[in-house]
Amino acid sequence: MSRFCYNDGRTQINPSNISLLHCAAQFMEMNNSVSVTNNLLEQTEKSLEEINYWTWPELLAALKKCQDLLPVEKSSGVLQKCLDSLARRLALATEASPCPSNSPESSGFRFSCDSKSTESLKSSLSRATWWFEDLLILSPILVEKAVKSMVSQKLDHVIISRFLLYYQKSRFYTARPDEKRKVIETVIDTLYTLNGSSVSGKTLFGILRVSMTLNINKSSRKKLESMIGSQLDQATLDNLLFPSPYGINYLYDVNLVLRFLKAFMHGGISKVFGVRLGKVSQLMDLYIAEVAPDPCLKPSKFLALAMALPDSARNFHDELYRAVDMYLEVHAGLLEEEKLKICCALNYEKLSAEACVHLSHNKKFPSRSAVQALISQQYKLKSLLHGTNNSRSLTDSPSTSSEVRSKGKKDEASKQVVLYAGKLDISSESEKLRAHLQGMQWRVIELEKVCRKMQTQMAKILKSRVSSHGHTRSLPKLCS
């Protein structure tokens, strides 16, 4: 500044001092109101117009100087012009190099026709990532600003995400814990602004495991969980097995998985239909079976896991039934009401015949659940039998049809089960099925007898109440 003032308004302006001179000129208000000819602010702005002709090292030197001047430099505009120039150069360099791949699980780039050559692969990769090392001089704040400029210049998001991961890994070698936390928060916040497909779910789980040891802020953690949840169909069981936080007795962090599921379903069932929803339902069945033996897992948490996905997510409920069976075995002291709530997660119509037979003899389940399962199977058998009878109605003789119609209701119900099993007598498996169906039918008959006894007892109780209170009450139907 002294050289400029005592040298007739002349001083050397270069990339390494332009940001400092510009800030000083602004602070000293050295504009047209002070001097029209010797205007330092105007001279620095004219020099900035030639920023596109600076060499790459000169541009990096200017960025480094802007970084040293933060936060004073924020209002001068030099920093943003340097970042925009940086992003434009990277975008041009990317256009000249092979296009990046849309798959983050790949090597990160799609190569030209001569990609069979190892040397060609290495050179293509280096052309796309040559600038990674140079930008390690930037602070997390400047990295975040630089990425915004890259996005505005339409630099490929896969390349940006690769740079962020490289930046995190490189800076972690020498950083202190508080510096690591700031780096990882910047990486998470910046990745959140990119396309969801720019980084793989496996990589995000790795970032989550690192961040758990650094106590990152809630905002960044929520963003990371949201990104993981949106790609939950890519996860494996091992990815979900996070130990529970300090102070919680659960073996695994169930609340974390519930948040993943909430993020996965955030867009609504219409956006996660088909294969993705099916993969997540299979993954959740494995996870529920893994956490079910945990003696400290509360019924409310287990039920939340079991009912986190819509009923349409599962074609069959056999795996979920096995998990519930395991949970009830470990938590044998649960009240009947608690067991019934847990059983509400099961859709008995989606249980196989084998699972229903097992449930009907399973003393760990409430008797009401066994009745519901058997009734649903009976309806299923009746509908199948009805369809079979309709298909054979054209070939059956009138005498045979009249004989079937003349049978009583109880005989008809028992014969239908046997008839259905007989029509499936194709292999040895049909014999097992027939035995299972017959056993189910006898179980239904026994339960009906119990229900009738209960009705009789309830009727006696109600009669005594009527005689004592002088008014009547309707008898609830215990069996449908």
Side-chain angles (χ1 to χ4, degrees):
M1 292 296 294
S2 298
R3 188 178 297 113
F4 176 80
C5 293
Y6 290 98
N7 195 28
D8 197 21
R10 294 190 301 270
T11 189
Q12 184 181 6
I13 301 177
N14 54 51
S16 61
N17 68 7
I18 190 170
S19 59
L20 182 58
L21 286 173
H22 194 272
C23 288
Q26 279 189 327
F27 180 75
M28 299 294 291
E29 298 181 356
M30 300 176 70
N31 48 35
N32 291 334
S33 62
V34 176
S35 175
V36 178
T37 57
N38 299 329
N39 186 340
L40 182 57
L41 190 61
E42 184 178 350
Q43 289 184 32
T44 55
E45 289 178 350
K46 282 185 178 180
S47 297
L48 279 173
E49 293 175 0
E50 300 177 357
I51 192 171
N52 292 330
Y53 300 101
W54 293 358
T55 64
W56 178 255
E58 288 175 336
L59 183 58
L60 292 179
L63 278 171
K64 184 67 170 66
K65 184 60 68 173
C66 290
Q67 180 172 273
D68 297 338
L69 292 172
L70 287 176
V72 179
E73 215 291 323
K74 285 184 179 180
S75 60
S76 72
V78 178
L79 173 60
Q80 192 57 51
K81 290 181 180 179
C82 290
L83 291 174
D84 290 341
S85 178
L86 177 81
R88 283 194 297 270
R89 296 186 189 202
L90 295 180
L92 290 173
T94 303
E95 290 176 3
S97 63
C99 298
S101 169
N102 290 327
S103 173
E105 291 288 358
S106 67
S107 61
F109 302 94
R110 183 170 60 250
F111 303 106
S112 55
C113 296
D114 63 342
S115 60
K116 295 181 180 180
S117 168
T118 305
E119 294 300 324
S120 176
L121 290 173
K122 290 181 178 179
S123 62
S124 299
L125 184 61
S126 62
R127 283 201 300 271
T129 62
W130 59 268
W131 50 275
F132 285 11
E133 186 74 25
D134 293 336
L135 296 193
L136 292 180
I137 62 171
L138 301 183
S139 66
I141 295 176
L142 249 64
V143 165
E144 190 171 2
K145 292 179 178 295
V147 169
K148 288 181 180 179
S149 296
M150 294 176 193
V151 172
S152 66
Q153 294 295 326
K154 303 189 184 306
L155 190 66
D156 191 88
H157 290 200
V158 175
I159 295 180
I160 297 175
S161 66
R162 286 173 63 88
F163 162 67
L164 290 170
L165 298 175
Y166 180 85
Y167 179 82
Q168 174 207 332
K169 183 178 179 181
S170 301
R171 291 296 295 264
F172 266 35
Y173 285 125
T174 57
R176 299 189 303 272
D178 56 330
E179 293 173 340
K180 289 181 179 180
R181 183 173 63 252
K182 184 59 181 176
V183 168
I184 199 73
E185 287 174 353
T186 299
V187 169
I188 293 171
D189 294 345
T190 311
L191 285 174
Y192 187 74
T193 63
L194 305 179
N195 291 336
S197 60
S198 62
V199 61
S200 68
K202 180 180 178 181
T203 301
L204 292 173
F205 275 111
I207 295 175
L208 179 59
R209 291 189 182 277
V210 172
S211 66
M212 283 183 166
T213 63
L214 297 174
N215 193 26
I216 63 174
N217 63 60
K218 291 183 179 180
S219 175
S220 297
R221 185 181 180 89
K222 187 176 180 180
K223 290 176 182 177
L224 180 57
E225 291 175 359
S226 177
M227 288 188 287
I228 292 176
S230 65
Q231 301 187 47
L232 195 58
D233 54 306
Q234 298 181 18
T236 63
L237 177 60
D238 290 338
N239 294 145
L240 300 181
L241 298 180
F242 286 88
S244 60
Y246 178 77
I248 298 179
N249 295 328
Y250 304 154
L251 184 61
Y252 297 111
D253 195 347
V254 174
N255 292 323
L256 177 63
V257 176
L258 288 172
R259 292 196 296 271
F260 288 158
L261 287 168
K262 184 178 179 181
F264 179 75
M265 298 298 298
H266 178 69
I269 187 65
S270 60
K271 294 187 179 181
V272 293
F273 61 90
V275 179
R276 294 188 64 209
L277 187 59
K279 286 182 178 180
V280 173
S281 67
Q282 293 174 6
L283 176 64
M284 287 311 302
D285 286 344
L286 293 174
Y287 183 78
I288 294 171
E290 188 70 24
V291 301
D294 184 359
C296 297
L297 185 63
K298 293 181 180 179
S300 59
K301 293 297 179 184
F302 182 85
L303 185 61
L305 285 172
M307 301 188 70
L309 295 175
D311 184 67
S312 59
R314 294 180 176 91
N315 294 325
F316 302 98
H317 274 223
D318 285 17
E319 295 297 328
L320 186 59
Y321 164 71
R322 294 186 184 96
V324 172
D325 181 40
M326 190 181 305
Y327 184 81
L328 294 179
E329 182 176 355
V330 175
H331 300 78
L334 292 178
L335 299 175
E336 192 78 2
E337 293 80 2
E338 292 176 320
K339 291 182 179 180
L340 286 172
K341 286 182 180 179
I342 291 174
C343 291
C344 288
L346 293 172
N347 185 340
Y348 301 107
E349 294 181 0
K350 292 188 176 183
L351 288 175
S352 65
E354 183 180 356
C356 276
V357 170
H358 187 275
L359 194 157
S360 65
H361 298 288
N362 196 336
K363 295 182 179 180
K364 296 188 289 290
F365 280 74
S367 58
R368 189 182 301 179
S369 298
V371 172
Q372 290 176 343
L374 292 172
I375 289 175
S376 67
Q377 288 298 310
Q378 190 177 30
Y379 285 154
K380 201 187 300 185
L381 291 173
K382 284 182 178 180
S383 62
L384 288 171
L385 181 62
H386 180 69
T388 306
N389 285 337
N390 286 342
S391 64
R392 297 190 58 182
S393 60
L394 295 176
T395 57
D396 287 343
S397 63
S399 60
T400 304
S401 300
S402 61
E403 289 177 3
V404 173
R405 284 194 298 269
S406 65
K407 294 184 180 295
K409 289 185 179 179
K410 284 190 177 179
D411 290 338
E412 182 181 5
S414 59
K415 296 277 185 183
Q416 280 176 343
V417 176
V418 178
L419 179 62
Y420 173 67
K423 290 182 179 181
L424 294 178
D425 193 8
I426 299 172
S427 63
S428 60
E429 293 295 327
S430 63
E431 296 295 334
K432 296 180 181 179
L433 179 61
R434 180 186 300 169
H436 288 162
L437 295 174
Q438 289 176 344
M440 287 168 57
Q441 183 62 28
W442 286 113
R443 178 67 173 164
V444 169
I445 293 173
E446 290 175 4
L447 291 170
E448 286 177 350
K449 290 179 181 178
V450 173
C451 288
R452 282 195 294 271
K453 276 185 181 179
M454 292 174 65
Q455 281 182 327
T456 304
Q457 292 175 357
M458 288 296 295
K460 291 179 180 179
I461 293 172
L462 289 173
K463 285 180 180 179
S464 63
R465 288 184 178 178
V466 167
S467 60
S468 60
H469 296 288
H471 61 275
T472 61
R473 293 182 181 177
S474 61
L475 179 63
K477 291 185 177 180
L478 299 178
C479 297
S480 59

